[in-house]
Amino acid sequence: MYHSLCLYGEKIIPESDIVEDAVQEAFIALWDKRKDLDSIFRIKGYLYTVVRNKIITHLRLKKTVSIENNLIEAEEEETDLQVLREETYKILRSAIENLPERTKLVMNYKIGGYTNKEIAENLNISVNTVKTLQKVGYTKLREQLKENVFALILLAELL
């Protein structure tokens, strides 16, 4: 998480020293509130929010940048979406790992942006076999992910 948080902070302010300090302070704040945060999703969101707030506080104290409420709200939404997308992608990857071996290979290639023809060439199988394995993969993934709407949306978006 350290590297991801630093990259996020550097999008707000391109001063790595300030960003690294904010990330370290975020982990300290997490440690202080560790009993109040019970899920991975909430922990990641909390860390991103603390980093953002520490950087904004620094900017306000230095009076180097004027930050408008719309910018702050947009960054909050972006952070929430980024965390949600990351968690959803992990759920999708985990579901793909439960597929049969050849189906898993085809689905991983498909997520990687390969065409059916490229997948067939890489796996030395026919394009029709690729299509059949994809259909089986989609069906099994929809079944596994039926309770997770966000994962289903990501699946449709990626594939």
Side-chain angles (χ1 to χ4, degrees):
M1 285 299 304
Y2 182 82
H3 183 68
S4 297
L5 290 169
C6 285
L7 289 174
Y8 171 71
E10 288 176 358
K11 288 181 182 178
I12 300 170
I13 184 171
E15 298 177 35
S16 60
D17 293 338
I18 294 168
V19 171
E20 289 175 4
D21 288 344
V23 171
Q24 288 177 353
E25 290 176 23
F27 282 110
I28 291 169
L30 173 65
W31 181 255
D32 291 340
K33 296 219 179 225
R34 66 187 178 274
K35 293 181 181 175
D36 298 334
L37 300 169
D38 56 350
S39 73
I40 297 293
F41 180 78
R42 288 182 59 201
I43 290 171
K44 285 185 177 184
Y46 178 78
L47 287 171
Y48 280 99
T49 301
V50 171
V51 168
R52 184 190 69 245
N53 290 342
K54 295 287 183 185
I55 292 172
I56 290 171
T57 300
H58 170 78
L59 293 173
R60 283 185 181 150
L61 291 174
K62 291 290 188 176
K63 295 182 182 180
T64 57
V65 177
S66 172
I67 300 176
E68 300 175 7
N69 287 337
N70 291 342
L71 177 62
I72 294 170
E73 289 175 10
E75 289 174 359
E76 286 176 354
E77 288 177 17
E78 181 182 326
T79 301
D80 292 344
L81 288 174
Q82 181 180 357
V83 170
L84 179 62
R85 186 177 183 92
E86 189 177 303
E87 289 299 316
T88 304
Y89 191 73
K90 286 180 183 177
I91 291 168
L92 178 60
R93 282 295 206 186
S94 176
I96 289 172
E97 287 301 313
N98 293 329
L99 296 173
E101 193 61 34
R102 284 175 29 137
T103 306
K104 178 176 26 173
L105 284 171
V106 169
M107 298 309 284
N108 282 327
Y109 273 115
K110 198 65 178 172
I111 285 177
Y114 288 83
T115 65
N116 288 348
K117 184 179 178 183
E118 292 170 332
I119 296 169
E121 289 171 1
N122 286 336
L123 297 177
N124 294 324
I125 57 178
S126 73
V127 174
N128 286 336
T129 303
V130 170
K131 290 178 183 178
T132 301
L133 290 171
Q134 278 180 322
K135 184 177 179 182
V136 169
Y138 292 143
T139 302
K140 289 184 179 190
L141 287 174
R142 279 193 299 268
E143 185 179 306
Q144 285 183 48
L145 301 171
K146 65 184 172 189
E147 300 296 321
N148 193 326
V149 174
F150 296 116
L152 288 172
I153 292 170
L154 181 62
L155 176 65
E157 185 179 300
L158 290 174
L159 306 174

